[in-house]
Amino acid sequence: MSCPHTHSLAALSSDEIRLVSSIIRHARKRPLFLRNVFNLEPPKREMLPYLDAERAGFPDPAASTPPPRRARAQYDMIEEDGSRSYMESTVDVATGKETETRLLEQHQHTSFTVDEFQEFIDSALASPVFQRVVEELQLPPHWQVYIDPWPFGGSDVEPGNTRRLTQLFFFARGMTKNNDDVNHYPFPLPFCVVMDTATMEVLRVERTATGGHEDLEADFAV
């Protein structure tokens, strides 16, 4: 006997994602930045009896109904002053009801989207400080700067500091053969940029050690 229901472990369909997104937006009634909407798998204690019945071919029709499909939405709620609060919600896909909502603490941070990583890179490239540092390196012709962003938390030195920072590491890659897949990691550049994650402002440019005799201790001023 086949089961007519969408499997509890199946990924959300595009229609389900749109449904969950609209439910969350209607519930919050303010601008949101949706980061992730994904299937929230049922607890094992609920899932195992259904899987056993599935393997047996659903001999009991009453056991053919899978555990409810639930979705988890992770998003920023944008306040009137532009600040953001990170929230998570659980939605019952079948009933369309929001069953759980959680507002995270200020020291708890979200993951980033691919588009946000690109915005970090673009902001660094546009920074006059970054441009000056790259100019001082005097890279050979046909060599490009490649940026690898790494988010990290606030300062461990200042208690209560929840400001989130993003560190961008820089590498050089030779483009003499116009190969976009060339490996850049063998050629790290001796500096990194520290950026305010929320405003994307470049806070400082730090020198990084290379192990060479010309390593300098002073950071670049911003």
Side-chain angles (χ1 to χ4, degrees):
M1 177 179 178
S2 62
C3 178
H5 303 279
T6 303
H7 201 286
S8 301
L9 300 181
L12 295 179
S13 67
S14 56
D15 288 339
E16 288 175 321
I17 293 175
R18 282 191 287 268
L19 171 66
V20 173
S21 301
S22 64
I23 291 170
I24 298 301
R25 293 186 187 279
H26 179 74
R28 299 288 86 79
K29 293 182 172 58
R30 65 184 63 187
L32 303 180
F33 180 80
L34 283 166
R35 297 184 173 277
N36 297 297
V37 179
F38 56 90
N39 181 30
L40 186 62
E41 296 182 359
K44 185 179 292 186
R45 65 179 181 275
E46 297 179 12
M47 199 68 209
L48 284 178
Y50 174 78
L51 294 177
D52 290 339
E54 183 182 45
R55 292 191 188 95
F58 298 112
D60 180 4
S64 64
T65 302
R69 279 173 66 76
R70 297 179 301 161
R72 170 65 52 81
Q74 299 173 331
Y75 54 95
D76 296 350
M77 186 167 60
I78 305 174
E79 308 293 347
E80 293 183 358
D81 61 358
S83 62
R84 298 190 178 195
S85 301
Y86 178 51
M87 299 188 68
E88 293 183 345
S89 293
T90 302
V91 173
D92 186 310
V93 177
T95 64
K97 293 183 178 180
E98 186 180 24
T99 59
E100 182 183 359
T101 303
R102 184 165 72 109
L103 175 64
L104 276 70
E105 301 291 338
Q106 287 296 319
H107 67 277
Q108 296 174 304
H109 299 298
T110 178
S111 60
F112 291 114
T113 65
V114 174
D115 290 339
E116 286 178 303
F117 278 119
Q118 187 59 51
E119 290 176 3
F120 298 149
I121 293 173
D122 293 341
S123 296
L125 291 173
S127 167
V129 178
F130 163 79
Q131 295 173 4
R132 175 171 62 85
V133 172
V134 172
E135 184 178 351
E136 291 177 0
L137 292 174
Q138 297 182 348
L139 294 176
H142 306 295
W143 281 74
Q144 295 180 352
V145 174
Y146 186 89
I147 303 177
D148 205 349
W150 284 83
F152 64 104
S155 173
D156 292 332
V157 180
E158 304 173 27
N161 182 5
T162 60
R163 185 184 199 182
R164 193 174 192 186
L165 307 176
T166 295
Q167 198 167 22
L168 298 97
F169 295 95
F170 294 81
F171 303 85
R173 60 178 184 174
M175 299 298 292
T176 54
K177 297 183 179 180
N178 294 320
N179 181 9
D180 290 335
D181 294 326
V182 66
N183 184 14
H184 56 275
Y185 288 112
F187 303 101
L189 298 177
F191 66 92
C192 67
V193 164
V194 177
M195 178 180 295
D196 184 299
T197 302
T199 64
M200 298 193 184
E201 174 191 1
V202 174
L203 302 178
R204 62 183 182 272
V205 180
E206 298 178 342
R207 296 184 187 270
T208 55
T210 64
H213 296 293
E214 297 180 355
D215 281 348
L216 300 176
E217 295 182 357
D219 294 338
F220 295 96
V222 175

